[in-house]
Amino acid sequence: MSEKKPHIAQKSPFAVAVEAGKSYWCCTCGKSAGQPFCDGSHKGSEFTPKEYKAEKSETVYFCGCKHSGNGMTCDGTHQKL
């Protein structure tokens, strides 16, 4: 089964202050209204949210284009789209 490409939510990262020890469920389909987190918009597709576990309290730059080679965090791929 060939996987569809995710929708590009935005061509820049989402800066989010995360708290140590908390889990965050990240959108992988790109259609969530609550970017970068999942709101269930993937239902009926082959996409599923991915869990991000914060090891420390810090600002994390979550991928906005959904094409990052780093998975849930931005690696600059949006600059090539």
Side-chain angles (χ1 to χ4, degrees):
M1 169 164 83
S2 86
E3 194 168 309
K4 289 184 177 183
K5 292 194 182 271
H7 174 75
I8 297 172
Q10 71 179 27
K11 290 186 178 180
S12 61
F14 293 96
V16 178
V18 298
E19 290 181 45
K22 282 190 142 185
S23 288
Y24 299 84
W25 290 93
C26 297
C27 170
T28 61
C29 72
K31 294 183 178 180
S32 172
Q35 291 293 334
F37 305 116
C38 178
D39 70 358
S41 294
H42 65 276
K43 293 207 186 308
S45 75
E46 54 196 75
F47 294 99
T48 57
K50 289 189 179 175
E51 183 179 16
Y52 178 87
K53 291 183 181 181
E55 293 181 11
K56 60 183 178 178
S57 294
E58 64 181 338
T59 299
V60 174
Y61 294 88
F62 289 100
C63 176
C65 72
K66 309 303 177 186
H67 290 79
S68 174
N70 285 345
M72 294 173 277
T73 58
C74 180
D75 70 354
T77 297
H78 62 271
Q79 297 171 347
K80 299 173 192 165
L81 297 175

